[in-house]
Amino acid sequence: MHPDTWPRATWPFPRDNALETRVSALMAKMTVEEKVGQLVQADILSVTPDDVRKYHLGAILAGGNSKPHGTVTATVDEWKAASEAFYRAAMETNGDHPPIPLLFGIDAVHGHNNVVGATLFPQNSALGNAHDPELIREIGEATAAEVRATGINWSFAPTLAVPQDVRWGRSYEGYSQDPKIVAQYATAMIEGLQGKVGTPQFLDGAHVLASAKHFLADGGTHNGKDQGDAQITEAALRDIHAAGYVPAIDAGVQVIMASFSSWNGRKITGDKALITDVLKQRMDFQGLVVGDWNAHGQVPGCTNEDCPTAYNAGLDMLMAPDSWRGLYEHTLAEVKSGAIPMARLDDAVARILRVKFRAGLFEAGAPSTQPIVQKANEIVGSPAHRAIARRAVRESLVLLKNNNGLLPLDPRRRILIAGEGADNISRQSGGWTLNWQGTGLKNADFPGAQSIGAGIVEQVKAAGGSAEIETDGHFTAKPDVAVVVFGEDPYAEFQGDIPNLLFRPGDDHDLELIRHLRGQGIPVVAVFLSGRPLWMNREINAADAFVAAWLPGSEGGGVADVLLRKRDGGIAHDFHGKLAYAWPSTAVVGQGAPQFPLGYGLSYADHATVRPLPEVSGITGEQIPVGNYLDRGKAVHGYAFTLVDAKGAAITGDVSPATTPDGSLHMAALDYKAQEDARRFTWNAGNAQLAIHARAPLDLDRETNGDVLLVTTLRVDALPTQDAWIAMGCGKACQGRVSLGKTLSTLAAGQWVRVGVPLKCFRAAGADMHHIDQPFAWSAGKGADIAISRVALGTDVDRVVDCVK
């Protein structure tokens, strides 16, 4: 490392003697136990107000799947009640304990996205195309107001990653692959969230603490692997990936979050040269450095409950969502033994307290007494905020093709809106939406929001035209034009990592829909929903016009604003978006020149014709999905499904009906949501089992550490007293079995339910999660009658199996 070659920042706060006096006076009253408590952040699913009272914790957070009282979704009032309870616990005085307000952090990454009814702004990869820092500032202000209105004072945003390989599942959290855009937006978003330093608005009651993340090079990992290793030079680390941090510090960002990832094999969370020598000394960052979700546990020599290395490297607070109690105890012992020097402890505590004092938390009072919280239901999802989001949608759309000037559409004509994204607010919003992965949601979960299709229908009908939404493309009267809205399923973090830039390899139903409509003489506008650019040459060729809509969020009407003409034939809103990520010409990362370079984007004044693009992806060989094993009752491409009888003889499960040779297990087709999209299994003897085999071993270690589940969509019709079990394995030597009988016995007979088993349970039971060749096995006793439709990795379930022994 050469810290002296790194750029300097300007910490915008001169020394404040009054502030230092307050910090010193408070620390003088604190015991070592109370100081250690300030260094620990716990998740609301694993900590109670009573725990906060006992351990004097400095911070809590609500992770992507963490809601008050464990609800699947949570309302404004439920969040207000939770923040109130934790605040009052922290501020209770027992004996000589000084009351210190909590930091309450949440991932408000595209609006206050954990709250039902909040405004959902376009994801960051969309916003980069707008090239509009003032818009970003307004989004930050609106997000801060909605977060603060629920009693929460800290947002884990903005992400200042500079993604260089969009196979990375967090690419949509980055504004651009261009460090200049990221640097420009860093200032705008931080000043929007916190207010501008030196003004009365800075960290007032309508603003929140911002977190620049993830320091450093999370967007530069080898092969785009989340939590991976950035195998790059120091110059690239400094000039590309650190581009957003100097302007962030100049703007007064109060928190910087260290990355899960590594740089040339060294975990950032334990890298003193980067955290202390570069960030705190060279860049003069005087705020708080916090770790990511149990990231300290990945530092060599550390566990989730014990990591003095991270504190000594310069982290001031560790995010220990479910491991906080053990971390507290070990850290306390290490401070007392000198493994963590007292000077390092005091420096960390002082930094935390300065942030709390600057944020006015000691004067703010209980959430319930704050004016913004009292008006929360007027602020969260307000018309003014939705108007900003709708403008952001309009500005971020990128027109890649518009042959023959098909767009803008005449709203007085007959328009068909088709595709799986036509009327799907969840799909258009992406991950980090009401839950971590953004899955398992329906439009009713988004009060006040509008789907893209609904926005088009509203405007077309108002203009006197005719519009209908038919996701499968069927119609009664032939339309004048079709708008096909399709794209990626929601995902977050490593669950979005992909091996190449193919879109849904092996599944061409979206392409077939476009071609089918075109084949009937219907012009087609393709609207593609994605967190990143993917190889779409075939779809671009098949459509007359192609719009990269990214992940626009809750205000789908913004898409209609741009696609449709005004009633008088004029242009209401033109395309302004210019690519902040180059669009690939093949599905091989880095191969060939971009199909559409950075800065590309048509407007209605352009009359360029996009000629047929090459339809050779560059990818050869079989493409096998990692996390989906059985779908609609059949094995997914790349996996084999078998029935194994009590004697070990196996037959294929591809054809239904089927019975094992000894008659112990029978399979029949069953209708669940569509014709024969499930299978019913009847055990006539014990020890028979279902099994899915992968053609090549799967490495599921990251998914296991990330609290992912094996989710089975099933219906129990009969279950005998004999125990049922589910397993993952890597041959007979390392099969990890988990008992299901207790869980299944509590299910209502005849009802479909999603049952999830934590992958950690299989690991604990003996499965080597680095080499899984049997991702699913199931057995039950004689008389069992169970139907199964789908088996896949996921986080969205109705029931979680308790496998704690």
Side-chain angles (χ1 to χ4, degrees):
M1 280 296 300
H2 304 86
D4 58 330
T5 67
W6 286 63
R8 292 188 182 276
T10 303
W11 184 243
F13 305 94
R15 179 177 174 82
D16 184 337
N17 291 331
L19 172 62
E20 295 305 317
T21 298
R22 293 183 75 184
V23 170
S24 297
L26 180 53
M27 289 181 64
K29 298 177 182 178
M30 296 172 68
T31 64
V32 171
E33 289 78 6
E34 289 164 352
K35 289 179 179 179
V36 169
Q38 290 295 303
L39 275 56
V40 178
Q41 185 173 36
D43 185 80
I44 62 172
L45 285 189
S46 301
V47 70
T48 66
D50 284 339
D51 292 327
V52 169
R53 291 186 187 94
K54 179 178 179 181
Y55 291 91
H56 313 300
L57 298 181
I60 58 172
L61 79 148
N65 284 332
S66 301
K67 305 293 184 291
H69 311 299
T71 54
V72 177
T73 55
T75 65
V76 169
D77 289 342
E78 288 172 319
W79 283 107
K80 287 168 56 179
S83 61
E84 181 78 10
F86 279 108
Y87 171 86
R88 293 193 178 279
M91 298 302 285
E92 282 188 13
T93 56
N94 296 315
D96 295 329
H97 165 63
I100 302 175
L102 276 173
L103 294 174
F104 190 166
I106 197 165
D107 287 281
V109 295
H110 65 125
H112 198 11
N113 43 263
N114 287 283
V115 179
V116 171
T119 308
L120 299 175
F121 296 93
Q123 298 274 9
N124 287 354
S125 61
L127 295 175
N129 305 290
H131 301 272
D132 186 346
E134 186 53 38
L135 170 64
I136 302 306
R137 192 185 312 275
E138 291 183 38
I139 290 171
E141 290 173 352
T143 300
E146 296 202 11
V147 171
R148 200 63 188 263
T150 56
I152 298 171
N153 51 39
W154 181 9
S155 173
F156 298 141
T159 298
L160 300 182
V162 189
Q164 300 298 290
D165 186 336
V166 296
R167 289 178 293 179
W168 184 39
R170 302 192 78 154
S171 292
Y172 65 78
E173 296 185 48
Y175 295 114
S176 176
Q177 71 184 70
D178 183 350
K180 294 179 182 178
I181 295 174
V182 175
Q184 192 178 43
Y185 274 21
T187 300
M189 180 55 78
I190 288 164
E191 290 186 347
L193 289 169
Q194 295 190 163
K196 187 175 177 62
V197 175
T199 70
Q201 290 75 38
F202 179 71
L203 288 177
D204 66 6
H207 290 84
V208 295
L209 296 163
S211 310
K213 66 181 189 182
H214 304 86
F215 189 86
L216 189 62
D218 50 340
T221 58
H222 183 61
N223 291 331
K225 291 291 185 183
D226 191 42
Q227 302 180 23
D229 187 22
Q231 300 172 13
I232 57 177
T233 65
E234 184 176 355
L237 183 73
R238 177 193 66 217
D239 299 340
I240 297 173
H241 298 284
Y245 288 91
V246 168
I249 294 168
D250 289 346
V253 70
Q254 294 297 291
V255 182
I256 291 179
M257 184 182 293
S259 180
F260 267 112
S261 58
S262 305
W263 176 48
N264 291 331
R266 300 203 309 269
K267 281 290 179 184
I268 303 293
T269 299
D271 193 328
K272 186 176 182 179
L274 275 173
I275 301 297
T276 297
D277 299 348
V278 169
L279 180 61
K280 288 186 169 182
Q281 294 179 1
R282 178 69 179 181
M283 293 185 176
D284 197 29
F285 176 63
Q286 297 180 34
L288 153 66
V289 180
V290 67
D292 207 339
W293 184 282
N294 275 334
H296 55 275
Q298 297 182 11
V299 175
C302 292
T303 68
N304 289 355
E305 297 185 340
D306 186 10
C307 194
T309 303
Y311 286 120
N312 289 336
L315 269 72
D316 304 302
M317 179 183 290
L318 297 188
M319 189 185 295
D322 53 358
S323 56
W324 63 268
R325 189 177 278 102
L327 180 68
Y328 172 89
E329 298 292 352
H330 280 103
T331 303
L332 179 60
E334 285 150 359
V335 168
K336 290 182 176 180
S337 73
I340 298 174
M342 188 63 70
R344 174 78 271 268
L345 172 68
D346 285 346
D347 173 57
V349 174
R351 285 171 174 268
I352 293 167
L353 293 180
R354 288 189 195 103
V355 167
K356 293 183 176 184
F357 278 121
R358 282 194 203 102
L361 300 187
F362 286 84
E363 295 77 35
S368 61
T369 68
Q370 298 170 20
I372 195 168
V373 177
Q374 294 169 351
K375 298 187 295 183
N377 287 298
E378 301 172 27
I379 292 170
V380 176
S382 71
H385 294 167
R386 292 188 183 277
I388 297 170
R390 187 161 178 155
R391 176 161 65 90
V393 174
R394 294 195 295 263
E395 290 195 30
S396 59
L397 300 176
V398 180
L399 181 61
L400 299 181
K401 177 182 179 180
N402 190 25
N403 284 10
N404 302 314
L406 176 60
L407 291 171
L409 303 177
D410 185 343
R412 298 168 297 179
R413 308 298 294 277
R414 182 184 297 276
I415 300 176
L416 171 70
I417 307 104
E420 292 179 347
D423 192 31
N424 193 319
I425 298 170
S426 172
R427 188 182 294 269
Q428 72 192 41
S429 298
W432 292 109
T433 300
L434 296 187
N435 60 52
W436 178 34
Q437 295 294 319
T439 56
L441 302 166
K442 52 190 182 298
N443 284 357
D445 295 320
F446 300 92
Q450 187 177 53
S451 71
I452 292 171
I456 295 173
V457 169
E458 179 182 65
Q459 293 190 38
V460 168
K461 289 188 175 180
S466 171
E468 61 178 335
I469 300 173
E470 292 292 345
T471 57
D472 58 7
H474 291 161
F475 52 81
T476 51
K478 184 177 179 179
D480 298 309
V481 64
V483 178
V484 177
V485 187
F486 68 106
E488 293 187 287
D489 295 321
Y491 56 83
E493 299 191 32
F494 54 83
Q495 291 205 48
D497 285 2
I498 52 177
N500 53 57
L501 301 182
L502 290 174
F503 170 63
R504 285 187 173 168
D507 182 355
D508 290 338
H509 75 271
D510 299 301
L511 176 62
E512 291 167 358
L513 174 58
I514 295 171
R515 287 174 172 171
H516 176 70
L517 292 167
R518 280 284 303 281
Q520 298 178 78
I522 302 169
V524 174
V525 177
V527 176
F528 183 51
L529 302 172
S530 72
R532 53 195 160 194
L534 297 173
W535 183 72
M536 301 299 296
N537 284 15
R538 297 181 303 163
E539 290 81 359
I540 293 172
N541 285 342
D544 297 277
F546 192 96
V547 177
W550 311 96
L551 297 171
S554 61
E555 306 313 301
V559 177
D561 291 344
V562 182
L563 295 188
L564 300 174
R565 292 183 179 274
K566 294 193 292 187
R567 298 184 198 183
D568 62 7
I571 295 174
H573 297 280
D574 204 344
F575 281 92
H576 295 289
K578 306 295 181 183
L579 288 177
Y581 288 88
W583 202 277
S585 57
T586 78
V588 181
V589 172
Q591 184 178 89
Q595 193 67 64
F596 303 103
L598 280 173
Y600 179 90
L602 301 174
S603 72
Y604 285 137
D606 297 312
H607 301 288
T609 296
V610 176
R611 297 179 179 179
L613 307 176
E615 295 194 359
V616 178
S617 72
I619 301 295
T620 59
E622 195 171 42
Q623 303 300 304
I624 298 176
V626 173
N628 192 9
Y629 310 124
L630 189 79
D631 197 24
R632 301 182 182 184
K634 295 183 178 181
V636 173
H637 175 71
Y639 297 88
F641 180 40
T642 59
L643 311 182
V644 184
D645 68 18
K647 299 177 181 179
I651 62 170
T652 180
D654 294 341
V655 181
S656 184
T659 303
T660 56
D662 67 354
S664 59
L665 181 60
H666 177 73
M667 177 181 74
L670 182 73
D671 295 347
Y672 170 35
K673 292 185 176 180
Q675 184 175 0
E676 296 191 358
D677 64 341
R679 298 293 181 266
R680 184 175 182 179
F681 303 95
T682 305
W683 275 260
N684 299 313
N687 297 322
Q689 62 180 274
L690 324 172
I692 295 176
H693 298 272
R695 297 187 188 178
L698 308 171
D699 185 351
L700 302 180
D701 186 64
R702 281 186 307 143
E703 288 81 354
T704 304
N705 291 333
D707 297 326
V708 174
L709 313 169
L710 179 66
V711 183
T712 306
T713 303
L714 60 90
R715 187 187 76 188
V716 175
D717 292 322
L719 189 70
T721 55
Q722 292 96 327
D723 198 17
W725 55 259
I726 188 172
M728 272 190 170
C730 42
K732 295 181 179 178
C734 71
Q735 188 181 64
R737 292 188 181 184
V738 175
S739 174
L740 287 174
K742 183 177 179 181
T743 299
L744 298 182
S745 66
T746 64
L747 302 180
Q751 292 187 6
W752 286 94
V753 65
R754 296 163 301 175
V755 174
V757 181
L759 296 187
K760 290 178 179 178
C761 296
F762 298 117
R763 181 171 63 187
D768 180 352
M769 305 309 290
H770 287 284
H771 303 93
I772 296 296
D773 59 11
Q774 188 183 70
F776 173 80
W778 181 296
S779 182
K782 181 179 180 180
D785 191 342
I786 298 171
I788 297 176
S789 174
R790 189 169 190 265
V791 178
L793 300 184
T795 58
D796 186 38
V797 298
D798 302 303
R799 186 72 60 86
V800 176
V801 174
D802 182 4
C803 58
V804 178
K805 294 182 179 180

